[in-house]
């Protein structure tokens, strides 16, 4: 676990650092439903959405971007009280508590914004580290879409829908 980590709103100046790991994670095709050849402009549109959505970065004391999260309403209209979020940690920063810190931050943000619950729509079931982290933060798998994700080495695996009340 990092002794000191700052989580702050992402700025346009943070984008090159985010893109550096987002591009590698998406191209690997193991954890996100984004196209593996996602181009930078489309990635920026997805990862840096406008309010009421928000994107944050986790940085070390030197300002190095360790990971990022984007949070947003998961639904519209009468279901707009459910939040959603996505997370990416630079692969070389894994195992240092960055994902947990981002997860806790996002849950606090959602509560402060008045959301009643948070739902993750597509957690790849073979991403056992992420599933374990979200379970440890109070999320439950409320359903799994069987064989919904074509993993590059495991073949077709399920996509979990994970949820927790706030």
């Amino acid at each position: 676990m990092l002794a000191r980590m700052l989580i702050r709103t992402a700025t346009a100046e943070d984008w090159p650092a985010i893109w550096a790991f987002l591009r590698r994670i998406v191209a690997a095709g193991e954890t996100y439903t984004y196209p593996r050849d996602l181009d930078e402009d489309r990635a920026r549109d997805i990862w840096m959405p406008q309010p009421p959505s928000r994107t944050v970065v986790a940085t070390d004391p030197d300002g190095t971007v360790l990971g990022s999260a984007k949070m947003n309403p998961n639904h519209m209209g009468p279901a707009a009280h459910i939040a959603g979020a996505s997370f990416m940690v630079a692969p070389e920063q894994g195992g240092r508590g960055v994902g947990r810190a981002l997860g806790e931050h996002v849950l606090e943000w959602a509560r402060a914004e008045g959301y009643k619950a948070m739902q993750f729509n597509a957690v790849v079931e073979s991403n056992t580290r992420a599933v374990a982290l979200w379970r440890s933060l109070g999320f439950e798998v409320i359903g799994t879409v069987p064989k919904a994700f074509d993993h590059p080495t495991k073949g077709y695996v399920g996509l979990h829908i994970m949820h927790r009340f706030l």
Side-chain angles (χ1 to χ4, degrees):
M1 177 83 159
L2 289 167
R4 295 185 340 207
M5 182 185 331
L6 172 68
I7 298 177
R8 61 170 173 76
T9 300
T11 66
E13 290 74 32
D14 294 315
W15 176 250
I18 296 168
W19 175 239
F21 58 81
L22 186 149
R23 175 182 63 229
R24 288 184 288 148
I25 291 167
V26 170
E30 298 176 346
T31 56
Y32 269 84
T33 61
Y34 302 151
R36 291 178 74 179
D37 62 352
L38 184 68
D39 69 66
E40 185 175 3
D41 289 338
R42 180 71 180 121
R44 186 184 305 109
D45 289 345
I46 292 168
W47 204 260
M48 304 285 279
Q50 298 299 311
S53 301
R54 180 172 182 238
T55 301
V56 297
V57 290
T59 65
D60 70 10
D62 296 329
T64 300
V65 175
L66 309 170
S68 181
K70 74 176 185 95
M71 52 214 91
N72 46 272
N74 197 41
H75 303 288
M76 297 183 289
H81 60 283
I82 307 298
S86 298
F87 304 83
M88 286 198 192
V89 175
E92 62 276 10
Q93 303 298 336
R96 299 178 68 195
V98 178
R100 176 170 298 281
L102 286 167
E104 290 170 350
H105 178 86
V106 165
L107 288 168
E108 290 173 19
W109 169 84
R111 278 187 209 98
E113 291 294 311
Y115 289 98
K116 304 299 182 204
M118 182 167 281
Q119 177 180 317
F120 301 150
N121 300 325
V123 181
V124 178
E125 89 182 320
S126 60
N127 188 355
T128 56
R129 286 181 68 187
V131 173
L133 172 60
W134 305 138
R135 284 184 187 276
S136 77
L137 291 174
F139 286 84
E140 295 179 50
V141 174
I142 60 169
T144 302
V145 183
K147 298 184 178 185
F149 186 85
D150 188 6
H151 191 281
T153 60
K154 299 179 187 312
Y156 290 101
V157 298
L159 284 176
H160 291 321
I161 301 165
M162 298 188 78
H163 174 273
R164 72 157 286 174
F165 288 106
L166 300 172

